[in-house]
Amino acid sequence: MEYKSIGYKRLVIICLVISIVLSIVSNFVFATEDTYTNDQIMDGTMKVLIFLQKYSWPVVTLVFVYALYQFYVIGSEVLEHKLLGRRLLIGIAIFMVIIQCLPLLYAFIIMR
């Protein structure tokens, strides 16, 4: 049981570090321009992805705190809540990596 707990913690920490690094890189890459292409639809999509990237942090922080509450506080008494909290933590960490990658991935796709 202890080995799985260590692997889970590493996964969450690695995903959160990658999310933070990708957020910083994306802010440097997209900080200078308002127009990325001459197409309004592509520019609008890029602005929406950047908006989601920037403003997902407060929401995810609240969900992350709830998952930690499920895992550590309620999970110390009920095993089901501990497993739910663990799945929430892993899901949130992976979700943040995906959200942080989307603007950069979209930029590579539209710029060819």
Side-chain angles (χ1 to χ4, degrees), residues 8 67 71 80-93:
Y8 134 79
F71 184 72
E80 181 181 330
H81 288 283
K82 187 169 189 155
L83 295 174
L84 176 66
R86 181 180 290 176
R87 280 187 270 152
L88 275 172
L89 287 171
I90 292 171
I92 291 166

Side-chain angles (χ1 to χ4, degrees), residues 8-20 57 60 63-64 86-100:
Y8 134 79
K9 289 178 185 176
R10 280 189 192 148
L11 177 67
V12 171
I13 290 172
I14 288 170
C15 286
L16 289 177
V17 168
I18 290 171
S19 296
I20 292 168
W57 284 103
V60 167
V63 176
F64 196 73
R86 181 180 290 176
R87 280 187 270 152
L88 275 172
L89 287 171
I90 292 171
I92 291 166
I94 292 172
F95 173 76
M96 280 309 292
V97 169
I98 292 170
I99 288 294
Q100 298 304 314

